[in-house]
């Protein structure tokens, strides 16, 4: 299995428009972060988790020719607003499968009605195949995926386990029964927004405590804001086996 970090930034990305924060002026490419998303590939399958406003740029940067579907963690704009840019895939492949909680599907139907509605369809609009995710395992291609139910403040958000790999973003709290689904991981990806506490995201201290609790072999931090600090400086302070992810990082599991 190959995982590509398409974006590792928080909702505004880095640099933030108009910001004078030193990290926003960094010349280190690892401090430039698009909105958070990953691409997961195995055998002949390629799936995207979340489709944010930087989706087009991410697909071009990584020369992606085909996707088998898009899996959504939740409905927030930084995770969904690239939906219109599925059109090139639709024109070549036909209807694109999407996978999401019913609440998320309803949000997408409202905001992208021209994609999800079959009535008076505009000829240039893409179409999708809706797949409902509940808190039960489901199949993507030939692989069983296990949803991980978490909370982003009060909002329900799904993380996902693909074999020995798990991806969690926008997490603030998680119940013990859900945490047990993460036992025995080789790689865990989890959000670490900044140093200071936040009402709906793990900060760095909380993310590291969560990693220590789950005990994956390796962990990668994502959904990062400029307030976490410079990539290289923070990386030096992290425990062994914990890494800050960066855009276009590729790992094999």
């Amino acid at each position: 299995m190959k995982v590509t970090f398409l974006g590792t930034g928080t909702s505004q990305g880095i640099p933030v428009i108009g910001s004078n924060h030193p990290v926003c002026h960094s010349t280190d490419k690892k401090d430039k972060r698009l909105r958070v998303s990953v691409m997961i590939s195995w055998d002949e399958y390629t799936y995207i988790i979340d489709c944010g406003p930087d989706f087009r740029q991410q697909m071009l940067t990584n020369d992606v020719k085909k996707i088998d579907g898009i899996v959504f963690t939740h409905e927030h704009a930084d995770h969904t607003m690239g939906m219109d840019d599925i059109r090139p895939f639709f024109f070549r492949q036909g209807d694109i499968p999407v996978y999401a909680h019913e609440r998320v599907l309803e949000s997408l139907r409202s905001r992208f009605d021209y994609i999800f509605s079959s009535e008076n369809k505009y000829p240039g609009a893409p179409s999708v195949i809706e797949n409902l995710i509940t808190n039960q395992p489901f199949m993507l291609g030939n692989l069983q995926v296990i949803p991980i139910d978490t909370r982003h403040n009060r909002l329900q958000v799904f993380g996902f386990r693909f074999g020995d790999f798990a991806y969690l973003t926008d997490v603030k709290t998680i119940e013990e029964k859900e945490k047990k689904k993460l036992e025995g991981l080789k790689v865990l990806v989890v959000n670490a927004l900044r140093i200071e506490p936040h009402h709906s995201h793990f900060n760095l201290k909380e993310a590291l405590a969560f990693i220590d609790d789950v005990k994956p072999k390796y962990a990668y931090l994502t959904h990062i804001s400029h307030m976490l600090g410079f990539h290289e400086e923070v990386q030096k302070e992290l425990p062994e086996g914990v890494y800050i992810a960066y855009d276009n990082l590729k790992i094999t599991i």
Side-chain angles (χ1 to χ4, degrees), residues 60-91:
L60 289 170
T61 298
N62 290 278
D63 194 27
V64 181
K65 298 292 199 302
K66 175 187 78 77
I67 60 173
D68 292 291
I70 301 170
V71 185
F72 288 97
T73 59
H74 64 298
E75 65 268 40
H76 283 171
D78 54 323
H79 298 258
T80 59
M81 290 306 290
M83 278 295 294
D84 189 70
D85 286 319
I86 67 172
R87 285 185 294 155
F89 296 110
F90 167 73
F91 294 150

Side-chain angles (χ1 to χ4, degrees), residues 139-253:
M139 297 299 294
L140 290 180
N142 60 2
L143 182 67
Q144 184 185 71
V145 179
I146 300 173
I148 314 297
D149 196 49
T150 74
R151 290 297 179 272
H152 178 36
N153 194 359
R154 292 188 297 271
L155 181 70
Q156 183 275 341
V157 172
F158 274 135
F160 301 100
R161 177 169 184 164
F162 296 70
D164 291 332
F165 170 80
Y167 181 82
L168 282 74
T169 184
D170 291 53
V171 176
K172 181 64 177 181
T173 57
I174 178 170
E175 295 182 0
E176 286 298 320
K177 65 178 181 178
E178 297 297 315
K179 199 181 296 183
K180 287 184 180 299
K181 297 178 182 179
L182 300 170
E183 292 177 352
L185 284 175
K186 183 176 181 182
V187 175
L188 170 68
V189 178
V190 67
N191 56 299
L193 185 72
R194 63 190 193 187
I195 302 299
E196 294 298 317
H198 189 269
H199 70 281
S200 62
H201 286 274
F202 281 159
N203 67 352
L204 179 59
K205 182 178 179 180
E206 291 167 329
L208 292 177
F210 181 73
I211 292 165
D212 187 58
D213 194 12
V214 173
K215 293 180 171 52
K217 187 172 182 180
Y218 303 104
Y220 291 84
L221 307 178
T222 193
H223 210 297
I224 291 161
S225 82
H226 57 293
M227 290 184 286
L228 185 68
F230 292 101
H231 183 284
E232 293 298 338
E233 291 183 3
V234 178
Q235 181 62 60
K236 293 175 184 176
E237 302 300 320
L238 295 180
E240 183 178 357
V242 179
Y243 306 94
I244 303 177
Y246 54 88
D247 288 17
N248 305 312
L249 170 66
K250 296 173 173 61
I251 61 174
T252 300
I253 300 163

Side-chain angles (χ1 to χ4, degrees), residues 16-183:
V16 175
I17 295 172
S19 175
N20 286 320
H21 191 282
V23 174
C24 291
H25 291 276
S26 171
T27 58
D28 185 350
K29 289 191 295 184
K30 293 179 180 179
D31 287 323
K32 312 295 185 186
R33 302 183 186 277
L34 300 179
R35 266 60 72 92
V36 68
S37 176
V38 292
M39 178 170 64
I40 303 177
S41 302
W42 69 94
D43 297 338
E44 70 272 27
Y45 300 105
T46 298
Y47 286 88
I48 309 295
I49 300 184
D50 289 335
C51 181
D54 300 314
F55 178 74
R56 176 180 178 273
Q57 183 177 348
Q58 292 163 342
M59 296 297 96
L60 289 170
T61 298
N62 290 278
D63 194 27
V64 181
K65 298 292 199 302
K66 175 187 78 77
I67 60 173
D68 292 291
I70 301 170
V71 185
F72 288 97
T73 59
H74 64 298
E75 65 268 40
H76 283 171
D78 54 323
H79 298 258
T80 59
M81 290 306 290
M83 278 295 294
D84 189 70
D85 286 319
I86 67 172
R87 285 185 294 155
F89 296 110
F90 167 73
F91 294 150
R92 289 194 299 271
Q93 301 174 208
D95 296 3
I96 305 299
V98 296
Y99 301 79
H101 188 286
E102 175 57 37
R103 185 197 71 248
V104 178
L105 289 172
E106 183 59 36
S107 175
L108 293 171
R109 293 183 198 118
S110 175
R111 287 183 291 158
F112 298 98
D113 62 309
Y114 66 97
I115 293 176
F116 284 77
S117 174
S118 59
E119 297 180 7
N120 301 315
K121 193 81 173 181
Y122 178 71
S127 295
V128 298
I129 302 168
E130 297 183 30
N131 295 274
L132 177 65
I133 299 176
T134 63
N135 196 16
Q136 296 294 325
F138 62 99
M139 297 299 294
L140 290 180
N142 60 2
L143 182 67
Q144 184 185 71
V145 179
I146 300 173
I148 314 297
D149 196 49
T150 74
R151 290 297 179 272
H152 178 36
N153 194 359
R154 292 188 297 271
L155 181 70
Q156 183 275 341
V157 172
F158 274 135
F160 301 100
R161 177 169 184 164
F162 296 70
D164 291 332
F165 170 80
Y167 181 82
L168 282 74
T169 184
D170 291 53
V171 176
K172 181 64 177 181
T173 57
I174 178 170
E175 295 182 0
E176 286 298 320
K177 65 178 181 178
E178 297 297 315
K179 199 181 296 183
K180 287 184 180 299
K181 297 178 182 179
L182 300 170
E183 292 177 352

